[in-house]
Amino acid sequence: MKKVMMMMAMLAVSFAAQAQSKFHDVEVNEATGPVKSISQNMMGHEQVVNFTKEGKMQSEDISNAVYDAEGYLQSVNRSAQGMTIEVKYKWENGRVVSQSMSVMGQEMVSKLTYNDKGAVASQSMDMGGQEMSIPFTDYKYDDHGNWISRKTSMMGQEMEQTRKIEYYE
């Protein structure tokens, strides 16, 4: 009986370790599943984000990532155009509902709303007291249910955002 209990305890520990090694960085990037990389293009600018099999982002511009016990990204430093930007995430029901960024001493808060398919319907930003809303429409999805194309309008400018997603087998 003791051996059976020990075996069950060892299995529980190994499953708990596996659960703790699962990261939700793919969800931060508005995707689900065994994503290997996302190549995103908007206004001629391409950004590539790679992921480990456990779902953790791998990028040269990311440092000091902080996770909670369930593997949800709480904050990260990102470098862009020679600046370091600290990004903090707020999660509800497995989705990012807001993120705040500290840029050159200014705090910028972005809030996300989702449509019935779980895709971001709009993003609203408070940039130093000035509100801006960015709607996302006309989604196209891949075979895994992740978006690969969407349209948006920002400051009167219509644009299409596209991305290619590579998956682990």
Side-chain angles (χ1 to χ4, degrees):
M1 185 68 160
K2 261 187 177 176
K3 279 187 177 184
V4 171
M5 294 300 276
M6 289 280 285
M7 292 292 287
M8 289 175 61
M10 287 178 67
L11 280 173
V13 167
S14 71
F15 284 128
Q18 286 175 1
Q20 289 173 359
S21 68
K22 169 71 173 135
F23 297 96
H24 297 277
D25 295 7
V26 171
E27 287 89 346
V28 167
N29 290 274
E30 299 179 45
T32 59
V35 174
K36 187 174 188 177
S37 69
I38 298 175
S39 302
Q40 192 162 293
N41 191 325
M42 187 169 180
M43 297 172 37
H45 176 69
E46 185 172 26
Q47 177 186 14
V48 178
V49 180
N50 296 305
F51 301 90
T52 65
K53 285 186 177 184
E54 294 80 25
K56 189 173 186 178
M57 281 187 285
Q58 293 181 316
S59 177
E60 292 177 8
D61 68 340
I62 296 173
S63 63
N64 299 331
V66 176
Y67 295 88
D68 68 9
E70 286 83 39
Y72 288 97
L73 185 60
Q74 300 300 298
S75 66
V76 67
N77 288 343
R78 299 191 94 151
S79 57
Q81 300 176 350
M83 293 186 299
T84 299
I85 302 166
E86 181 184 21
V87 183
K88 295 179 182 177
Y89 300 94
K90 182 177 178 187
W91 294 81
E92 286 180 11
N93 301 320
R95 293 182 181 162
V96 174
V97 292
S98 71
Q99 59 186 25
S100 62
M101 293 168 259
S102 182
V103 182
M104 296 189 303
Q106 294 283 21
E107 192 75 14
M108 183 170 68
V109 177
S110 171
K111 295 181 182 173
L112 304 172
T113 59
Y114 293 85
N115 65 22
D116 57 350
K117 291 189 178 224
V120 175
S122 68
Q123 178 178 11
S124 63
M125 289 188 244
D126 179 357
M127 301 188 320
Q130 188 170 2
E131 283 285 327
M132 180 169 62
S133 183
I134 303 166
F136 296 101
T137 60
D138 298 330
Y139 276 91
K140 292 184 176 88
Y141 297 89
D142 67 9
D143 293 341
H144 293 266
N146 290 313
W147 71 265
I148 53 172
S149 172
R150 67 183 180 186
K151 292 184 180 172
T152 187
S153 175
M154 194 176 346
M155 297 190 284
Q157 181 79 17
E158 295 281 329
M159 57 190 97
E160 183 177 16
Q161 191 174 18
T162 60
R163 63 187 192 172
K164 294 177 186 165
I165 302 175
E166 185 180 345
Y167 296 90
Y168 285 104
E169 296 291 321

Coordinates of all heavy atoms in Angstrom, one line a residue, residues 15-94:
F15 N 3.3 15.7 -12.6 CA 2.3 16.4 -13.3 C 2.3 17.9 -12.9 O 2.1 18.8 -13.7 CB 0.9 15.8 -13.2 CG 0.7 14.6 -14.0 CD1 0.2 13.4 -13.4 CD2 1.0 14.6 -15.4 CE1 0.1 12.2 -14.2 CE2 0.8 13.4 -16.1 CZ 0.4 12.3 -15.6
A16 N 2.4 18.1 -11.6 CA 2.5 19.5 -11.1 C 3.7 20.2 -11.7 O 3.5 21.4 -12.1 CB 2.6 19.5 -9.6
A17 N 4.8 19.6 -11.8 CA 6.0 20.2 -12.4 C 5.7 20.5 -13.9 O 6.1 21.6 -14.4 CB 7.2 19.3 -12.3
Q18 N 5.0 19.6 -14.6 CA 4.7 19.9 -16.0 C 3.7 21.1 -16.1 O 3.9 22.0 -16.9 CB 4.0 18.7 -16.6 CG 5.0 17.6 -16.9 CD 4.3 16.4 -17.5 OE1 3.1 16.3 -17.6 NE2 5.1 15.3 -17.7
A19 N 2.7 21.1 -15.2 CA 1.8 22.2 -15.2 C 2.5 23.6 -14.9 O 2.1 24.6 -15.5 CB 0.7 22.0 -14.2
Q20 N 3.4 23.6 -14.0 CA 4.1 24.8 -13.7 C 5.0 25.2 -14.8 O 5.4 26.4 -14.9 CB 4.9 24.6 -12.4 CG 4.0 24.5 -11.2 CD 4.8 24.2 -9.9 OE1 6.0 24.0 -9.9 NE2 4.1 24.1 -8.8
S21 N 5.4 24.3 -15.7 CA 6.3 24.7 -16.8 C 5.6 25.2 -18.0 O 6.2 25.6 -18.9 CB 7.2 23.6 -17.2 OG 6.5 22.5 -17.8
K22 N 4.3 25.3 -17.9 CA 3.4 25.8 -19.0 C 3.4 27.3 -18.9 O 2.9 27.8 -17.9 CB 2.0 25.2 -18.9 CG 1.0 25.8 -19.8 CD 1.3 25.5 -21.3 CE 0.1 26.0 -22.1 NZ 0.5 26.7 -23.3
F23 N 3.8 28.0 -19.9 CA 3.7 29.5 -19.9 C 2.6 29.9 -20.9 O 2.2 29.2 -21.8 CB 5.0 30.0 -20.4 CG 6.2 29.7 -19.5 CD1 7.0 28.6 -19.7 CD2 6.4 30.5 -18.4 CE1 8.0 28.3 -18.9 CE2 7.4 30.2 -17.5 CZ 8.3 29.1 -17.8
H24 N 2.1 31.1 -20.6 CA 0.9 31.6 -21.4 C 1.3 32.8 -22.3 O 0.5 33.6 -22.6 CB -0.2 32.0 -20.4 CG -0.7 30.9 -19.7 ND1 -1.7 30.0 -20.2 CD2 -0.4 30.4 -18.4 CE1 -2.0 29.1 -19.3 NE2 -1.2 29.3 -18.2
D25 N 2.6 32.8 -22.7 CA 3.1 33.9 -23.5 C 2.4 33.9 -24.9 O 2.3 34.9 -25.6 CB 4.6 33.8 -23.7 CG 5.4 34.0 -22.4 OD1 4.7 34.1 -21.3 OD2 6.6 34.1 -22.5
V26 N 2.0 32.7 -25.4 CA 1.3 32.6 -26.7 C 0.0 33.4 -26.6 O -0.4 34.2 -27.5 CB 1.0 31.1 -27.0 CG1 0.1 31.0 -28.2 CG2 2.3 30.4 -27.3
E27 N -0.7 33.3 -25.4 CA -2.0 34.1 -25.2 C -1.7 35.6 -25.2 O -2.6 36.4 -25.7 CB -2.7 33.6 -24.0 CG -3.3 32.2 -24.1 CD -2.4 31.1 -23.7 OE1 -1.2 31.3 -23.6 OE2 -2.9 30.0 -23.6
V28 N -0.6 36.0 -24.6 CA -0.2 37.4 -24.6 C -0.2 37.9 -26.1 O -0.5 39.1 -26.4 CB 1.1 37.7 -23.9 CG1 1.6 39.1 -24.2 CG2 1.0 37.4 -22.4
N29 N 0.2 37.1 -27.0 CA 0.3 37.4 -28.4 C -0.9 37.1 -29.2 O -0.8 36.9 -30.4 CB 1.6 36.7 -29.0 CG 2.8 37.3 -28.4 OD1 3.4 38.3 -28.9 ND2 3.4 36.7 -27.3
E30 N -2.0 36.9 -28.5 CA -3.3 36.7 -29.2 C -3.4 35.4 -30.0 O -3.9 35.5 -31.2 CB -3.8 37.9 -30.0 CG -3.9 39.2 -29.2 CD -4.3 40.4 -30.1 OE1 -5.2 40.2 -31.0 OE2 -3.7 41.4 -30.0
A31 N -2.9 34.4 -29.4 CA -2.9 33.1 -30.1 C -3.1 32.0 -29.1 O -3.0 32.2 -27.9 CB -1.6 32.9 -30.9
T32 N -3.4 30.8 -29.6 CA -3.5 29.6 -28.8 C -2.9 28.4 -29.5 O -2.7 28.4 -30.7 CB -5.0 29.3 -28.4 OG1 -5.7 29.0 -29.6 CG2 -5.7 30.4 -27.6
G33 N -2.6 27.4 -28.7 CA -2.1 26.1 -29.3 C -0.6 26.1 -29.3 O 0.1 26.9 -28.7
P34 N 0.0 25.0 -30.0 CA 1.4 24.8 -30.0 C 2.2 25.7 -30.9 O 2.8 25.3 -31.9 CB 1.5 23.3 -30.4 CG 0.3 23.1 -31.3 CD -0.8 24.0 -30.7
V35 N 2.2 27.0 -30.7 CA 2.7 28.0 -31.6 C 4.3 28.0 -31.5 O 4.8 28.1 -30.4 CB 2.2 29.4 -31.3 CG1 2.9 30.5 -32.1 CG2 0.7 29.4 -31.6
K36 N 4.9 27.9 -32.6 CA 6.4 27.9 -32.6 C 6.9 29.3 -32.9 O 7.9 29.8 -32.3 CB 6.9 27.0 -33.7 CG 8.4 26.8 -33.8 CD 8.7 25.7 -34.8 CE 10.2 25.4 -34.7 NZ 10.5 24.3 -35.7
S37 N 6.2 30.1 -33.8 CA 6.6 31.4 -34.1 C 5.4 32.2 -34.7 O 4.5 31.6 -35.3 CB 7.8 31.5 -35.0 OG 7.4 31.1 -36.3
I38 N 5.4 33.5 -34.5 CA 4.5 34.4 -35.1 C 5.3 35.5 -35.8 O 6.1 36.2 -35.1 CB 3.5 35.0 -34.0 CG1 2.7 34.0 -33.3 CG2 2.6 36.1 -34.7 CD1 1.8 34.5 -32.2
S39 N 5.1 35.6 -37.1 CA 5.7 36.7 -37.9 C 4.5 37.7 -38.2 O 3.6 37.3 -38.9 CB 6.3 36.2 -39.2 OG 7.3 35.3 -38.9
Q40 N 4.6 38.9 -37.7 CA 3.5 39.9 -37.8 C 4.0 41.0 -38.7 O 5.1 41.5 -38.5 CB 3.2 40.3 -36.4 CG 1.9 41.1 -36.4 CD 1.3 41.2 -34.9 OE1 0.9 40.2 -34.4 NE2 1.4 42.3 -34.4
N41 N 3.1 41.5 -39.5 CA 3.5 42.6 -40.4 C 2.4 43.7 -40.3 O 1.2 43.4 -40.5 CB 3.6 42.1 -41.9 CG 4.2 43.2 -42.8 OD1 4.0 44.4 -42.6 ND2 5.0 42.7 -43.7
M42 N 2.8 44.9 -40.0 CA 1.9 46.0 -40.0 C 2.6 47.3 -40.5 O 3.7 47.6 -40.0 CB 1.3 46.3 -38.6 CG 0.2 47.3 -38.6 SD -0.6 47.3 -37.0 CE -1.8 48.6 -37.2
M43 N 2.1 47.9 -41.5 CA 2.6 49.1 -42.1 C 4.1 48.9 -42.5 O 5.0 49.7 -42.3 CB 2.6 50.3 -41.1 CG 1.1 50.6 -40.8 SD 0.9 51.9 -39.5 CE 2.3 53.0 -39.7
G44 N 4.4 47.7 -43.1 CA 5.7 47.4 -43.6 C 6.7 47.0 -42.6 O 7.9 46.7 -42.9
H45 N 6.3 47.0 -41.3 CA 7.2 46.6 -40.2 C 6.9 45.2 -39.8 O 5.8 44.9 -39.4 CB 7.1 47.6 -39.1 CG 7.9 47.2 -37.9 ND1 9.3 47.3 -37.9 CD2 7.6 46.7 -36.7 CE1 9.7 46.9 -36.7 NE2 8.7 46.5 -35.9
E46 N 8.0 44.3 -39.9 CA 7.8 42.9 -39.5 C 8.4 42.7 -38.1 O 9.5 43.1 -37.8 CB 8.4 42.0 -40.5 CG 8.1 40.5 -40.2 CD 8.5 39.6 -41.3 OE1 9.4 39.9 -42.1 OE2 7.9 38.5 -41.4
Q47 N 7.7 41.9 -37.3 CA 8.2 41.5 -36.0 C 8.0 40.0 -35.9 O 6.9 39.5 -36.2 CB 7.4 42.2 -34.9 CG 7.8 41.8 -33.5 CD 6.9 42.4 -32.5 OE1 5.8 42.9 -32.7 NE2 7.3 42.3 -31.2
V48 N 9.0 39.3 -35.4 CA 9.0 37.9 -35.3 C 9.1 37.5 -33.8 O 10.0 38.0 -33.1 CB 10.0 37.1 -36.1 CG1 10.0 35.6 -35.8 CG2 9.9 37.5 -37.5
V49 N 8.2 36.7 -33.2 CA 8.3 36.2 -31.9 C 8.3 34.7 -31.9 O 7.5 34.1 -32.6 CB 7.1 36.7 -31.0 CG1 7.2 36.2 -29.6 CG2 7.0 38.2 -31.0
N50 N 9.4 34.1 -31.3 CA 9.5 32.7 -31.2 C 9.1 32.2 -29.8 O 9.2 32.9 -28.9 CB 10.9 32.3 -31.5 CG 11.4 32.6 -32.9 OD1 10.7 32.2 -33.9 ND2 12.5 33.4 -33.0
F51 N 8.6 30.9 -29.8 CA 8.2 30.3 -28.5 C 8.8 29.0 -28.3 O 9.0 28.2 -29.3 CB 6.6 30.2 -28.6 CG 5.9 31.4 -28.7 CD1 5.6 31.9 -30.0 CD2 5.5 32.2 -27.7 CE1 4.9 33.1 -30.2 CE2 4.8 33.4 -27.8 CZ 4.5 33.8 -29.1
T52 N 9.0 28.6 -27.1 CA 9.5 27.3 -26.7 C 8.3 26.4 -26.8 O 7.1 26.8 -26.9 CB 10.1 27.2 -25.3 OG1 9.0 27.5 -24.4 CG2 11.2 28.2 -25.1
K53 N 8.5 25.0 -26.8 CA 7.4 24.1 -26.8 C 6.4 24.3 -25.6 O 5.3 24.0 -25.6 CB 7.9 22.7 -26.8 CG 8.4 22.3 -28.2 CD 8.7 20.8 -28.2 CE 9.2 20.4 -29.6 NZ 9.4 19.0 -29.8
E54 N 7.0 24.9 -24.5 CA 6.2 25.1 -23.3 C 5.4 26.4 -23.4 O 4.7 26.8 -22.4 CB 7.1 25.2 -22.0 CG 7.8 23.9 -21.7 CD 9.0 23.6 -22.6 OE1 9.6 24.5 -23.1 OE2 9.3 22.4 -22.8
G55 N 5.6 27.2 -24.4 CA 4.8 28.4 -24.6 C 5.5 29.7 -24.2 O 4.8 30.7 -24.1
K56 N 6.8 29.6 -23.9 CA 7.5 30.8 -23.4 C 8.1 31.6 -24.6 O 8.7 31.0 -25.4 CB 8.5 30.4 -22.4 CG 9.2 31.6 -21.7 CD 10.1 31.1 -20.6 CE 10.7 32.2 -19.8 NZ 11.6 31.7 -18.7
M57 N 8.0 32.9 -24.6 CA 8.5 33.7 -25.6 C 10.0 33.7 -25.6 O 10.6 33.7 -24.5 CB 8.1 35.2 -25.5 CG 6.7 35.5 -25.9 SD 6.4 37.3 -25.9 CE 6.2 37.6 -24.2
Q58 N 10.7 33.7 -26.8 CA 12.1 33.8 -26.9 C 12.4 34.9 -27.9 O 12.0 34.8 -29.0 CB 12.7 32.5 -27.5 CG 12.6 31.3 -26.5 CD 13.2 30.1 -27.1 OE1 13.0 29.8 -28.3 NE2 14.0 29.4 -26.3
S59 N 13.0 36.0 -27.4 CA 13.3 37.1 -28.3 C 14.5 37.9 -27.7 O 14.6 38.0 -26.4 CB 12.1 38.0 -28.4 OG 12.4 39.1 -29.2
E60 N 15.3 38.4 -28.5 CA 16.5 39.2 -28.0 C 16.0 40.5 -27.4 O 16.7 41.1 -26.6 CB 17.4 39.6 -29.2 CG 18.1 38.4 -29.8 CD 19.0 38.7 -31.0 OE1 19.1 39.9 -31.3 OE2 19.5 37.7 -31.6
D61 N 14.8 41.0 -27.7 CA 14.4 42.3 -27.1 C 13.6 42.1 -25.8 O 13.0 43.1 -25.3 CB 13.6 43.1 -28.2 CG 12.2 42.4 -28.5 OD1 12.0 41.2 -28.3 OD2 11.4 43.2 -29.0
I62 N 13.5 40.9 -25.3 CA 12.8 40.6 -24.0 C 13.7 40.3 -22.9 O 14.6 39.5 -23.1 CB 11.8 39.5 -24.3 CG1 10.7 39.9 -25.3 CG2 11.1 39.1 -23.0 CD1 9.8 38.8 -25.7
S63 N 13.5 40.9 -21.7 CA 14.3 40.6 -20.6 C 13.5 40.7 -19.3 O 12.4 41.4 -19.3 CB 15.6 41.4 -20.5 OG 15.2 42.8 -20.4
N64 N 14.0 40.2 -18.2 CA 13.4 40.3 -16.9 C 11.9 39.9 -16.9 O 11.1 40.6 -16.2 CB 13.6 41.7 -16.3 CG 15.0 42.1 -16.2 OD1 15.9 41.2 -16.0 ND2 15.3 43.4 -16.3
A65 N 11.5 38.8 -17.5 CA 10.2 38.3 -17.5 C 9.8 37.8 -16.1 O 10.6 37.1 -15.5 CB 10.0 37.3 -18.5
V66 N 8.6 38.2 -15.6 CA 8.1 37.8 -14.3 C 6.8 37.1 -14.5 O 5.9 37.6 -15.2 CB 7.9 39.0 -13.3 CG1 7.3 38.5 -12.0 CG2 9.3 39.7 -13.1
Y67 N 6.7 35.8 -14.0 CA 5.5 35.0 -14.1 C 4.9 34.7 -12.8 O 5.6 34.7 -11.7 CB 5.9 33.7 -14.8 CG 6.4 33.8 -16.2 CD1 7.7 34.0 -16.4 CD2 5.5 33.7 -17.2 CE1 8.2 34.1 -17.7 CE2 6.0 33.9 -18.5 CZ 7.3 34.1 -18.8 OH 7.8 34.2 -20.0
D68 N 3.5 34.5 -12.8 CA 2.9 34.0 -11.5 C 3.0 32.5 -11.5 O 3.6 31.9 -12.3 CB 1.5 34.5 -11.4 CG 0.5 33.9 -12.4 OD1 0.9 33.0 -13.1 OD2 -0.6 34.4 -12.5
A69 N 2.5 31.9 -10.4 CA 2.6 30.5 -10.2 C 2.0 29.6 -11.3 O 2.4 28.5 -11.5 CB 2.0 30.1 -8.8
E70 N 1.0 30.2 -12.0 CA 0.3 29.5 -13.1 C 1.0 29.7 -14.5 O 0.5 29.2 -15.5 CB -1.2 29.8 -13.2 CG -2.0 29.3 -12.1 CD -1.9 30.1 -10.8 OE1 -1.9 31.3 -10.9 OE2 -1.9 29.5 -9.7
G71 N 2.1 30.4 -14.5 CA 2.8 30.7 -15.8 C 2.3 31.8 -16.6 O 2.6 32.0 -17.7
Y72 N 1.4 32.7 -16.0 CA 1.0 33.9 -16.7 C 2.0 35.0 -16.5 O 2.4 35.3 -15.4 CB -0.4 34.4 -16.1 CG -1.5 33.5 -16.5 CD1 -2.0 32.5 -15.6 CD2 -2.2 33.6 -17.7 CE1 -3.0 31.6 -16.0 CE2 -3.2 32.7 -18.1 CZ -3.6 31.8 -17.2 OH -4.6 30.9 -17.6
L73 N 2.3 35.6 -17.6 CA 3.3 36.7 -17.7 C 2.7 37.9 -16.9 O 1.7 38.4 -17.3 CB 3.6 37.1 -19.1 CG 4.7 38.1 -19.4 CD1 6.1 37.6 -18.8 CD2 4.8 38.4 -20.9
Q74 N 3.5 38.4 -15.9 CA 3.0 39.6 -15.2 C 3.7 40.8 -15.6 O 3.1 41.9 -15.7 CB 3.3 39.3 -13.7 CG 2.6 38.1 -13.1 CD 1.1 38.2 -13.2 OE1 0.4 39.1 -12.7 NE2 0.5 37.3 -14.0
S75 N 5.0 40.7 -16.0 CA 5.7 41.9 -16.5 C 6.9 41.5 -17.2 O 7.4 40.3 -17.1 CB 6.1 42.8 -15.3 OG 7.1 42.2 -14.5
V76 N 7.4 42.3 -18.1 CA 8.5 42.1 -18.9 C 9.2 43.4 -19.4 O 8.4 44.4 -19.5 CB 8.1 41.2 -20.2 CG1 7.2 41.9 -21.1 CG2 9.4 40.6 -20.9
N77 N 10.5 43.4 -19.6 CA 11.1 44.5 -20.2 C 11.3 44.2 -21.7 O 11.8 43.2 -22.0 CB 12.5 44.8 -19.5 CG 12.3 45.4 -18.1 OD1 11.3 45.9 -17.8 ND2 13.4 45.3 -17.4
R78 N 11.0 45.2 -22.5 CA 11.1 45.0 -24.0 C 12.0 46.2 -24.4 O 11.8 47.3 -24.0 CB 9.8 45.0 -24.7 CG 8.9 43.9 -24.2 CD 7.8 43.8 -25.1 NE 8.1 42.8 -26.1 CZ 7.3 42.0 -26.8 NH1 6.0 42.1 -26.5 NH2 7.6 41.1 -27.7
S79 N 12.9 45.9 -25.3 CA 13.7 47.0 -25.9 C 13.2 47.3 -27.3 O 12.9 46.4 -28.1 CB 15.2 46.6 -25.9 OG 15.4 45.4 -26.6
A80 N 13.0 48.6 -27.6 CA 12.5 49.0 -28.9 C 13.2 50.4 -29.2 O 13.1 51.3 -28.4 CB 11.0 49.2 -28.8
Q81 N 13.8 50.4 -30.3 CA 14.4 51.7 -30.8 C 15.4 52.3 -29.7 O 15.3 53.5 -29.5 CB 13.4 52.7 -31.3 CG 12.5 52.1 -32.4 CD 11.4 53.0 -32.8 OE1 11.2 54.0 -32.1 NE2 10.8 52.7 -33.9
G82 N 16.2 51.4 -29.1 CA 17.1 51.9 -28.1 C 16.6 52.2 -26.8 O 17.3 52.7 -25.9
M83 N 15.3 52.0 -26.5 CA 14.7 52.3 -25.2 C 14.3 51.0 -24.6 O 13.9 50.0 -25.3 CB 13.4 53.2 -25.4 CG 13.7 54.6 -25.8 SD 12.1 55.5 -25.8 CE 11.1 54.6 -26.9
T84 N 14.3 51.0 -23.3 CA 13.7 49.8 -22.5 C 12.3 50.2 -22.0 O 12.2 51.2 -21.4 CB 14.6 49.4 -21.4 OG1 15.9 49.0 -21.9 CG2 14.0 48.2 -20.6
I85 N 11.3 49.4 -22.3 CA 10.0 49.6 -21.9 C 9.5 48.5 -21.0 O 9.6 47.3 -21.4 CB 9.0 49.7 -23.2 CG1 9.5 50.8 -24.1 CG2 7.6 49.9 -22.8 CD1 8.9 50.7 -25.5
E86 N 9.0 48.9 -19.8 CA 8.5 47.9 -18.9 C 7.0 47.7 -19.2 O 6.3 48.7 -19.2 CB 8.7 48.3 -17.5 CG 8.1 47.2 -16.5 CD 8.2 47.6 -15.1 OE1 8.3 48.8 -14.8 OE2 8.2 46.7 -14.2
V87 N 6.6 46.5 -19.5 CA 5.2 46.2 -19.8 C 4.6 45.3 -18.6 O 5.2 44.3 -18.3 CB 5.0 45.5 -21.1 CG1 3.5 45.3 -21.4 CG2 5.7 46.2 -22.2
K88 N 3.5 45.7 -18.1 CA 2.8 44.9 -17.0 C 1.5 44.5 -17.6 O 0.8 45.2 -18.2 CB 2.6 45.8 -15.8 CG 3.9 46.1 -15.1 CD 3.7 47.0 -13.9 CE 5.0 47.4 -13.3 NZ 4.8 48.3 -12.1
Y89 N 1.1 43.2 -17.3 CA -0.1 42.6 -17.8 C -1.1 42.3 -16.7 O -0.7 41.9 -15.6 CB 0.2 41.3 -18.5 CG 1.1 41.5 -19.7 CD1 2.5 41.3 -19.5 CD2 0.6 41.9 -20.9 CE1 3.4 41.5 -20.6 CE2 1.5 42.0 -22.0 CZ 2.9 41.9 -21.8 OH 3.7 42.1 -22.9
K90 N -2.4 42.6 -17.0 CA -3.5 42.2 -16.1 C -4.3 41.1 -16.8 O -4.8 41.4 -17.9 CB -4.3 43.4 -15.7 CG -5.4 43.0 -14.7 CD -6.2 44.2 -14.2 CE -7.3 43.8 -13.3 NZ -8.2 44.9 -13.0
W91 N -4.6 40.0 -16.1 CA -5.3 38.9 -16.7 C -6.6 38.7 -16.0 O -6.8 38.9 -14.8 CB -4.5 37.6 -16.5 CG -3.2 37.5 -17.2 CD1 -2.0 38.1 -16.8 CD2 -2.9 36.9 -18.5 NE1 -1.0 37.8 -17.7 CE2 -1.5 37.0 -18.7 CE3 -3.7 36.1 -19.3 CZ2 -0.9 36.5 -19.9 CZ3 -3.1 35.6 -20.4 CH2 -1.7 35.8 -20.7
E92 N -7.6 38.3 -16.8 CA -8.9 37.8 -16.3 C -9.4 36.7 -17.2 O -9.4 36.8 -18.4 CB -10.0 38.9 -16.3 CG -9.7 40.0 -15.3 CD -10.8 41.1 -15.3 OE1 -11.8 40.9 -16.0 OE2 -10.6 42.1 -14.6
N93 N -9.8 35.6 -16.6 CA -10.3 34.4 -17.3 C -9.4 33.9 -18.4 O -9.8 33.6 -19.5 CB -11.7 34.7 -17.8 CG -12.6 35.0 -16.7 OD1 -12.6 34.4 -15.7 ND2 -13.5 36.0 -17.0
G94 N -8.0 34.0 -18.2 CA -7.1 33.5 -19.2 C -6.8 34.4 -20.4 O -6.2 34.0 -21.4

